[in-house]
Amino acid sequence: MEIAAEAAGELPASGKPCFQGGELRGNGNSLVCFAAAAYKLMKLRYYEADADTLREIMGSILKRQKLSEEQYEDRISSLPDSLIAQILSRLPTKYAVSTSVLSTRWKQLWTSITSFDIIDDLLLCPQNDSANPSLQRSFTSFVSPVLLHHVSCVQRFRLICSQSYDASLVNGWIADTLLRNVRELDLSFQTKHYIMLPQDLFTCRTLVVLKLEAYCDMNNVPTSVSLPSLRILHLCGSRFVDDDSINRFLFGCPVLEELHMSVCGVENVSVINIVAPMLTSLFIDHCSFGNKRPPHGSDCKIVLDTPALLYLTMCNSIEHRCYLVENLHHLIRADICVYADDASAVSKALMDLLKGISNVQFLQLRCLIEDTSMRDCQLPKFPNMTLLELDDHCDGRWAFVLELLENSQHLETLVFKEGLGVDGKAFTQSLRNRAPNVPSCLLSHLKEIEIRYFEGMQEGWEMVECFLENAKVLEKLNMHYASSERDWTIKIR
């Protein structure tokens, strides 16, 4: 008790704890300081320290008390409502809404958030039972009232559903956001059947970003589509009944800058017009443009008129396709993967596509078509290409690769991303037979060759030797072994 009384006596009057009924009472901070002071005093008594040291320690304790009080000051509550709403907008909506239980002031703050991020995994607790119907009902009973009570405009609405929900319910959620002048819609959901989107979606004047990953049936695309602000459009899993519906959709997006189409289907197709003067990025991946030839017997024509295009990615069958590619004068990079079940009917389509992108600077090419299908075709010139990546082993296509090198006069970097294969002898023999008339890029521009998944077989080493013999300005040769972590870099001086 003597130590306790002395410790309490060292504290300021406003922070002194006291004894009531045999118990020590006081606020949290004063009790913490009291305990620290008493402990230090006991240590000082044991070591017989002087009074000056005691005062120094007590001063340090009181200083820490002041810092602690400042550290735990409730600064969030002093922020204006508008700033708190911005902070809450950056949280998953589940957590933003849960702040309503903090106090009376916080009860309605979440209704002013400008961004919704609703993910059913966060509410369904998948570690327990994500397929539980009662949990699904709990999720829908959360989303609908949240949208009903929201009072502000919506900048962004992101809905990610791993479970299947009623189409009319999902459409209702989308319609609610459209009424609030939404700027960005990011939707990924499952339904038991194809869903038709609300008609108002196609005439939303405020929409800037639209991302749809769902089985959407675009049969209800209106005659007049008006999306004057839409700059980014991603479609995954959408189905168009004919080419007219997709053409109307794209025509109604006059300022479109980025278009991604993945696993989309267009039935009864004859012509697809992608005419977008401001488009800078185009991505087409495994889209089905009709399962068979059009009823008139002609190939499907795909028209690309995108003069501002900088980046093109295309991974698709080119069987029964006819490409009309125009005005790609500023193309920086093209990633092309083409394939076909009937290789005999694709050579013209491939040549038309390559001709259209011939101004490209960096080309990644995966061409799963045999040389025999392209013997009578003439590749275009690639006057601006400085980097070529071959994204598959080139067995059976070495004559095509050699012609590609001949037509790329300014090529500086050549990459074999899948190795050299096992049939490189034809390439080596053809290149040596042409000496000294080898491709001009080898003589004057090619500075770096990279070979990934190098097998180390004799044919591969012969190709490496052939490159070293003919690439007169080569500076670096990188080889990454397929069977080990060894990498070789040969620098030529």
Side-chain angles (χ1 to χ4, degrees), residues 418-430:
E418 296 293 334
L420 299 175
V422 296
D423 188 25
K425 187 176 295 185
F427 176 82
T428 303
Q429 190 63 41
S430 297

Side-chain angles (χ1 to χ4, degrees), residues 18 52 54-55 100 127 191 212 216 243 381 424-426 486:
C18 60
D52 290 338
L54 174 61
R55 281 191 293 271
S100 62
Q127 66 271 21
T191 52
L212 287 174
C216 296
D243 49 12
K381 302 288 184 181
K425 187 176 295 185
R486 289 187 301 165

Side-chain angles (χ1 to χ4, degrees), residues 297-309:
S298 59
D299 290 343
C300 166
K301 181 183 292 186
I302 300 175
V303 179
L304 297 183
D305 188 358
T306 52
L309 196 66

Side-chain angles (χ1 to χ4, degrees), residues 339-353:
Y339 55 90
D341 295 329
D342 181 8
S344 62
V346 302
S347 57
K348 185 179 185 305
L350 178 60
M351 294 306 118
D352 288 342
L353 178 59

Side-chain angles (χ1 to χ4, degrees), residues 395-412:
D395 288 341
R397 289 177 287 277
W398 285 112
F400 173 77
V401 173
L402 190 56
E403 186 177 357
L404 195 56
L405 293 178
E406 288 180 340
N407 291 1
S408 308
Q409 183 178 356
H410 297 98
L411 189 67
E412 297 180 358

Side-chain angles (χ1 to χ4, degrees), residues 58-71:
M58 290 306 301
S60 176
I61 292 172
L62 294 174
K63 183 178 180 180
R64 285 201 299 271
Q65 179 193 21
K66 183 178 180 181
L67 290 175
S68 178
E69 291 173 351
E70 293 177 353
Q71 180 180 358

